[in-house]
């Protein structure tokens, strides 16, 4: 289980990883790999980008995923449309959950903002229920807050 200090260290690594690179896809690819290798008990981590009035799959680590998500659908759609983090203990109890991977049991989604607008989400799934804690939520929100202005959206 990660501590806030662990997330602060992970965030520093992320910032160092992307600060000299301008390419959005390259940076999101490395960020998803960084999170995948440092977070335990997860089965998917990646990004959905806002394009043409929907969320479109971006760089990720994990199994094949849903390519497009409507803004009013699933955990990702709710996080994006409300610009609020969604930490779901049991995805099967979430109304409108999109089951891209049947193995996923819990999920956390953090919106990413640029120039005052929500432009993407960070999505992380776990094969166990109640995987994500308040510490994970706080740590991942801080992670996103520190990287979002360094990404070239």
């Amino acid at each position: 289980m990660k501590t806030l200090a662990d997330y602060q260290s992970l965030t520093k690594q992320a910032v160092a990883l992307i600060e000299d690179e301008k390419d959005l896809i390259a940076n999101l690819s490395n960020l998803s790999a960084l999170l995948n290798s440092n977070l335990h008990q997860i089965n998917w981590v990646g990004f959905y980008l806002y394009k043409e009035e929907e969320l479109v799959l971006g760089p990720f680590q994990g199994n094949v995923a849903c390519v497009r998500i409507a803004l009013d659908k699933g955990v990702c759609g709710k996080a994006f449309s409300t610009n609020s983090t969604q930490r779901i203990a049991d995805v099967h109890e979430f109304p409108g959950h999109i089951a891209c991977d049947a193995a996923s049991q819990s999920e956390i989604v953090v919106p990413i903002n640029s120039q005052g607008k929500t432009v993407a989400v960070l999505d992380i799934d776990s094969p166990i229920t109640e995987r994500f804690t308040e510490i994970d939520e706080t740590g991942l929100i801080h992670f996103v807050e520190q990287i979002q202005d360094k990404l070239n959206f």
Side-chain angles (χ1 to χ4, degrees):
M1 191 167 290
K2 293 280 184 212
T3 66
L4 285 178
D6 293 331
Y7 276 108
Q8 289 170 347
S9 175
L10 188 60
T11 300
K12 286 178 185 176
Q13 291 175 51
V15 169
L17 189 64
I18 67 172
E19 67 184 348
D20 293 329
E21 177 55 56
K22 300 293 182 213
D23 187 83
L24 176 65
I25 299 304
N27 283 332
L28 294 179
S29 296
N30 271 335
L31 291 171
S32 62
L34 178 69
L35 289 168
N36 189 57
S37 64
N38 282 279
L39 298 179
H40 302 291
Q41 297 177 313
I42 65 168
N43 60 323
W44 200 92
V45 56
F47 298 90
Y48 279 92
L49 312 177
Y50 179 65
K51 293 181 180 182
E52 301 170 5
E53 304 299 317
E54 62 187 347
L55 294 173
V56 179
L57 181 64
F60 71 94
Q61 301 276 313
N63 291 333
V64 171
C66 299
V67 174
R68 297 179 182 273
I69 298 175
L71 299 182
D72 61 345
K73 301 290 184 200
V75 181
C76 288
K78 182 167 185 178
F80 183 90
S81 63
T82 62
N83 191 28
S84 64
T85 298
Q86 301 294 307
R87 178 169 47 106
I88 309 301
D90 184 345
V91 295
H92 302 292
E93 294 180 4
F94 185 86
H97 173 253
I98 302 168
C100 295
D101 182 348
S104 293
Q105 300 295 313
S106 61
E107 183 171 9
I108 188 165
V109 181
V110 182
I112 300 172
N113 294 287
S114 178
Q115 300 176 359
K117 294 182 180 180
T118 309
V119 294
V121 297
L122 166 62
D123 181 18
I124 307 174
D125 293 358
S126 173
I128 60 173
T129 57
E130 300 182 24
R131 157 60 183 87
F132 302 104
T133 65
E134 190 172 320
I135 290 172
D136 293 308
E137 182 173 347
T138 300
L140 289 167
I141 289 171
H142 177 72
F143 180 93
V144 166
E145 286 172 346
Q146 297 306 304
I147 63 157
Q148 64 190 2
D149 292 334
K150 293 168 180 48
L151 296 170
N152 191 18
F153 278 98

